[in-house]
Amino acid sequence: MKIMESFRVAMRALAANKLRSVLTMLGIIIGVGAVIALMSIGRGVQKYVTDQFAGLGSNLLIVVPGQITDGPPDPRSIGVELFTMADARAIGDPLLVPDVAAVAPLFMGAATITRGDRDMNVDVNATTPSFQEVRSWKPTIGTFFSDGDLEDRARVVVLGSETYKELFPDEEYPVDQTVQVNNLIFRVIGVMEEKGGGGPGGSLDESIFLPLSTAQERVFRSKTVSGDYQVNVIYANVAESELMPDAQVQIADLLRERRNIRYLDSDNFAIISQSDIISVFSEILGALTIFLGAIAGISLLVGGIGIMNIMLVSVTERTREIGLRKAVGAKRRDVLTQFLVEAVTLAVLGGAIGITLGVSGATAISTAFEAFDAVVGMDAVLLSLFFSMAVGLFFGIYPAYRASRLNPIDALRYE
């Protein structure tokens, strides 16, 4: 019996028991749909996290005090020896670290910002004008502060996007307006573009940006004994991505020398590359995606058992039909092929419906959450379809084998 003829017979058999066929396919439909949806969501989360870290800037090295032990170092931890502006200037010196193109030191703190009867607690990011270049992050309204503002210790402030929305709910033009930072009057000169979560201090949109000299002398009054400004983090922008490993070694050697760390002693600082962060999170989320897909795949196993059960019932119900076919010349392999085709048809139809539901579910989630985009991979679709076909073939072998082994005389006498 040809395959196409077997397929037509299978469709007639399935159509004769529509409800039973649909219920049999339900396990495959749920399994495939869950696999597609969960893998798409997992990949979407992976892409979202990667995009967030990519938003830190290109070819970026993050130098923080403290060691990486049980987790990432907290640059604001009490007792950790902070960096100084002298360290930042040394890293930015092309004679000492030739592969670094630009450096942006950052001192982090907290303050209360007030405008009229509106106030909020914000993170303060005190830095230099090179910050916007190193972090690839610029104002959408107004400007960032200049080297002149840094030298003059000017009372100017740049608002994060969420801070701006909170203090200026009517979207009033903020430039040259005044706000109070810890009861000190500052002039707003700009608003940063929306960045989202990220960075050592948390969400940078709920923050403000001050010239480092202004923050250290007027807001926090925090200096070293020698009078140098302290910084929590040093961002270093490397000229080329290929030079990232060399730049890490150069910075490490420089800081070990400046901090008088002996040959066998451990570093009291950490240098984290942007690619390292992305790689670690990608591996974790990739493993989680596979794990979720495997859990959803259990439904396919349950669906396969359902197919085997219903095919065994079908063999029993169609015993006389099998005997009649053998009596008129059908061979054992023809009967075997017929029932295998029916089992595979059930699984593939269920798989196709499940793929449709899974893709629809992933699309609906992407539509519901604007910042999130579920990634439906063609490999996941093809793998689900292939696996559903394999499930139908595997669980259909035994019922098909039983049907092909029936004695035609006994089958014709079966009531």
Side-chain angles (χ1 to χ4, degrees), residues 318-329 406-415:
R318 295 161 64 186
T319 299
R320 287 179 61 83
E321 175 190 331
I322 295 168
L324 183 60
R325 288 189 180 186
K326 284 194 169 186
V328 297
L406 286 175
N407 186 294
I409 296 175
D410 293 335
L412 286 171
R413 290 187 306 182
Y414 183 81
E415 293 295 338

Side-chain angles (χ1 to χ4, degrees), residues 84-94 96 103 105 228-229 234 254 258:
T84 64
M85 275 297 296
D87 293 324
R89 284 191 293 268
I91 293 174
D93 189 337
L96 299 176
V103 167
D228 201 0
Y229 297 131
I234 300 175
L254 174 65
R258 291 184 59 83

